[in-house]
Amino acid sequence: MFFPGLFASTRADGISATPAQNFTQWVSSIGGRQTSAGTMVNTKTALAVSAVRACVTLLAESLAQLPCELYRRDENGGRTRATDHPVYDLIHSAPNRKDTSFEYYEQAQGCLGLEGNHYALIERDGAGYPIELIPVHPKKVQVLKGTDGMPYYRLTDLGETLPMHMVHHIKYFSLDGYVGLSPIDTNADAIGLALATEQHAGAVFQRGATMSGVIERPKESTPIADQAAIDRLLSKFAERHAGLRNMFSVALLQEGMTYRQLAMDNEKAQLLESRNFGVNEVCRLYKIPPHMIQQLDKATFSNIEHMGLQFVIYTLLAWVKRHEAAMMRDLLLPAERKNHYIEFNVSGLLRGDQKSRYEAYAIGRNWGWLSVNDIRRLENMPPIPGGDRYLTPLNMVDSAQMQQSYEATPEQMKDIEEILCRT
């Protein structure tokens, strides 16, 4: 049961503060801000930057395609899938009646990549086990810090406040431990610069004249007294040489007129370099190798595979651990965490090419820690009869036995002494 008085606090003047005055709210709740580049950056405008959208969707789709399993530890140190547990189907197949597991995890990671937080309401059965996870948009949730130090969640649309055990909360990097920081808001200037560069490029092709400058007439020429004639001259010049279709056209000027260019062209303004710099800045923000969002100018076939593995190890695994730890905290009962754990299977992403995999399988098979069925299981192939046997190299013996074989027996020591005496 929720008690509104739980959030009441006392100010310095002794007056009790209202509940709304005693909460911690994350920075991404702000509806965007003006950046140094003069652009407004919020969730909607940030997604207009192709690099931001590519990085966010790459992380969301990469995590969503991983199978999520609930395992139970056995007495021998092994593990088995806990398919009989109520939480297994929830996290593996259908988190709620509307979403598939892929859709749910994709949306959850997308909210984390944009807003820094993911919230889902937990519906439980009579035994306390969760039976449904209902996602809530991060901007519709306020995090309140209770007097007991625990987080409480206020649903702004419904005007209700829920305790921690009723909300599944995953947060990104946090400074206060209650809400995650939004990458969009904390790095608005980097995204705003990329957005401004894209807007500038669009403006160049929409309105820019390749020969932007002034038309000069010799001093000896009679001035044009009719302003309408000047307007017709400029209008005709812009009509023939402005816009995308008329780029790089040739102009013919009469009466001794000359054309002097004033504006920098795209090459001098380094427009392409600026756009590439914006892509690299966004990749640095999300710790994603540029080649994974189709930025292939500096990628080579010799290092792409290793960079892909680095993406899984140093980028994706951190997000995976956030999801796993939050689900174990919110979805498993305290007594179950000793023998149960939730894990995303990332082994498929860590596999190398076919030649490297087969060489590794051969080493494991020859040295005795992989059986035929172990290898077939890793390759998603069915087991075969007799495939559970393990090999032992014949040229390898126990080191303790080797040490004992070098120690002489008493009879051998007596023979050695007799030989030494004869000498």
Side-chain angles (χ1 to χ4, degrees):
M1 182 179 296
F2 168 68
F3 299 95
L6 179 65
F7 302 102
S9 62
T10 304
R11 301 191 317 209
D13 55 5
I15 301 177
S16 177
T18 61
Q21 293 173 320
N22 185 23
F23 65 86
T24 304
Q25 192 171 2
W26 68 106
V27 295
S28 62
S29 63
I30 306 175
R33 68 178 180 88
Q34 198 81 8
T35 65
S36 302
T39 54
M40 175 64 67
V41 173
N42 51 36
T43 303
K44 183 177 181 180
T45 58
L47 282 175
V49 180
S50 60
V52 174
R53 180 181 179 87
C55 290
V56 172
T57 55
L58 173 65
L59 289 172
E61 293 168 354
S62 299
L63 185 136
Q65 68 178 316
L66 301 177
C68 185
E69 308 278 358
L70 175 65
Y71 292 100
R72 180 184 295 110
R73 297 183 181 92
D74 56 30
E75 298 178 354
N76 299 324
R79 67 177 186 177
T80 56
R81 288 187 176 91
T83 55
D84 57 339
H85 196 282
V87 176
Y88 183 88
D89 186 66
L90 182 73
I91 65 175
H92 182 268
S93 303
N96 54 63
R97 291 176 291 178
K98 178 178 69 69
D99 300 321
T100 64
S101 60
F102 186 94
E103 294 170 342
Y104 174 82
Y105 291 122
E106 182 183 34
Q107 179 184 357
Q109 179 57 43
C111 290
L112 282 170
L114 292 172
E115 305 292 346
N117 296 273
H118 163 67
Y119 304 97
L121 303 182
I122 305 175
E123 184 177 350
R124 300 180 183 270
D125 58 13
Y129 289 107
I131 58 177
E132 199 169 12
L133 295 174
I134 305 173
V136 182
H137 195 281
K139 291 188 181 299
K140 297 183 178 181
V141 180
Q142 292 179 344
V143 180
L144 312 177
K145 180 181 178 181
T147 55
D148 57 354
M150 303 303 292
Y152 292 80
Y153 301 90
R154 181 173 179 83
L155 307 180
T156 55
D157 286 354
L158 302 178
E160 297 183 3
T161 303
L162 304 177
M164 181 179 176
H165 73 274
M166 297 182 65
V167 179
H168 174 47
H169 180 199
I170 309 174
K171 54 180 175 291
Y172 186 35
F173 174 75
S174 176
L175 294 178
D176 58 8
Y178 289 88
V179 289
L181 297 178
S182 167
I184 301 300
D185 190 84
T186 55
N187 298 272
D189 286 335
I191 298 175
L193 180 60
L195 185 61
T197 304
E198 295 296 322
Q199 292 176 352
H200 170 71
V204 167
F205 289 107
Q206 180 183 5
R207 299 188 303 271
T210 305
M211 298 181 294
S212 299
V214 296
I215 300 176
E216 298 179 346
R217 301 180 74 247
K219 295 181 180 180
E220 298 79 9
S221 301
T222 304
I224 302 177
D226 187 6
Q227 182 63 37
I230 298 177
D231 294 340
R232 287 194 301 271
L233 175 64
L234 297 178
S235 176
K236 197 66 176 178
F237 186 85
E239 178 183 347
R240 290 189 175 183
H241 305 293
L244 181 62
R245 294 185 176 181
N246 299 320
M247 290 182 62
F248 309 109
S249 59
V250 179
L252 175 64
L253 302 179
Q254 301 179 358
E255 301 180 1
M257 295 181 180
T258 59
Y259 177 81
R260 182 162 60 91
Q261 185 171 323
L262 296 180
M264 291 189 298
D265 55 21
N266 291 338
E267 182 178 357
K268 293 180 181 179
Q270 296 182 334
L271 181 61
L272 295 180
E273 288 80 358
S274 299
R275 296 182 69 188
N276 288 334
F277 176 78
V279 172
N280 291 329
E281 282 293 288
V282 174
C283 289
R284 185 178 295 113
L285 168 61
Y286 287 98
K287 296 185 290 186
I288 291 178
H291 79 274
M292 299 199 70
I293 60 170
Q294 311 306 316
Q295 185 77 356
L296 301 175
D297 53 345
K298 294 183 180 180
T300 62
F301 288 102
S302 61
N303 64 2
I304 278 184
E305 181 181 353
H306 295 285
M307 295 179 68
L309 293 177
Q310 288 181 350
F311 163 74
V312 176
I313 297 173
Y314 298 111
T315 302
L316 186 61
L317 267 182
W319 294 104
V320 168
K321 293 302 179 182
R322 289 188 180 96
H323 285 264
E324 292 175 349
M327 286 192 291
M328 289 186 62
R329 178 197 62 199
D330 299 333
L331 306 183
L332 295 180
L333 301 179
E336 296 176 331
R337 298 170 194 159
K338 299 178 181 179
N339 299 320
H340 293 78
Y341 63 95
I342 298 173
E343 181 178 280
F344 284 87
N345 186 1
V346 298
S347 59
L349 299 178
L350 293 173
R351 297 194 308 173
D353 58 85
Q354 188 178 45
K355 182 176 182 295
S356 300
R357 295 201 315 273
Y358 285 5
E359 289 176 350
Y361 294 153
I363 295 174
R365 175 65 172 157
N366 293 335
W367 286 97
W369 67 77
L370 284 180
S371 67
V372 172
N373 284 341
D374 291 336
I375 298 173
R376 295 178 64 85
R377 192 178 303 111
L378 292 172
E379 289 293 318
N380 294 322
M381 300 170 66
I384 60 175
D388 294 325
R389 297 177 180 177
Y390 293 87
L391 303 179
T392 301
L394 295 178
N395 61 339
M396 303 293 291
V397 296
D398 191 352
S399 299
Q401 296 178 0
M402 291 293 295
Q403 184 176 2
Q404 293 176 1
S405 64
Y406 290 137
E407 295 179 356
T409 62
E411 292 77 8
Q412 292 174 338
M413 289 298 298
K414 183 178 180 180
D415 294 339
I416 294 173
E417 289 179 359
E418 293 179 356
I419 295 174
L420 292 176
C421 291
R422 294 173 186 173
T423 304

